[in-house]
Amino acid sequence: MHVTMVRETWTDERLDDLTKHMDEGFREVKAEQRALRAELKAEMGGLKKELKGEMSDLKNELKGEMSELRGEMSDLKNELKGEMSELRAGLDNLNRRFDGLLLTLLAGFVGLVLVQLFG
């Protein structure tokens, strides 16, 4: 079986109609592209504002946390200074007692030696 195709002739009028139709289609596509660009631009602007707000909130939160941490570290430093001062006082007291004990032992030893020598 042999199929015969019908060939249409393209007149100038038909070509002009096709050109107009294609021009309209391209105008529609360009208008859609412009609308999409404007929509994307607006979305990006909104995202930028939202991101700036989030970053500002995060920055403020971090400042607060750092300030609180500095306060805690300062408190710990002061507490440590107090404990070191107490430790020094305790060591000084122990040192005085030890010195007193040594003097007592030395006096006792000298006394024993004197008793042995003269006694």
Side-chain angles (χ1 to χ4, degrees):
M1 177 170 203
H2 188 25
V3 178
T4 312
M5 295 191 59
V6 178
R7 185 173 185 171
E8 296 182 26
T9 49
W10 288 90
T11 63
D12 286 345
E13 290 173 358
R14 288 190 69 204
L15 286 172
D16 289 342
D17 287 342
L18 178 62
T19 301
K20 285 180 189 177
H21 182 69
M22 288 178 66
D23 287 344
E24 287 174 17
F26 282 122
R27 274 191 288 277
E28 289 176 11
V29 168
K30 286 180 182 178
E32 287 177 13
Q33 284 179 337
R34 277 189 219 101
L36 281 172
R37 282 188 186 133
E39 188 179 329
L40 283 172
K41 198 173 190 178
E43 284 288 325
M44 290 301 290
L47 286 173
K48 283 180 183 178
K49 283 182 183 179
E50 187 178 334
L51 187 57
K52 277 185 180 181
E54 292 290 327
M55 291 299 287
S56 178
D57 291 347
L58 182 59
K59 186 177 176 182
N60 290 334
E61 186 178 332
L62 284 174
K63 280 183 180 179
E65 291 290 327
M66 290 300 290
S67 178
E68 188 177 317
L69 185 59
R70 282 187 186 112
E72 288 177 13
M73 288 177 67
S74 179
D75 292 346
L76 287 173
K77 180 178 131 185
N78 292 334
E79 186 179 326
L80 185 59
K81 280 183 177 180
E83 288 179 9
M84 292 296 288
S85 181
E86 288 176 19
L87 183 60
R88 281 190 189 114
L91 287 174
D92 287 345
N93 186 28
L94 185 61
N95 196 22
R96 281 191 297 277
R97 289 173 139 183
F98 186 70
D99 287 347
L101 179 63
L102 282 178
L103 287 175
T104 303
L105 288 174
L106 184 60
F109 180 71
V110 169
L112 284 175
V113 169
L114 290 175
V115 167
Q116 289 293 326
L117 289 175
F118 298 107

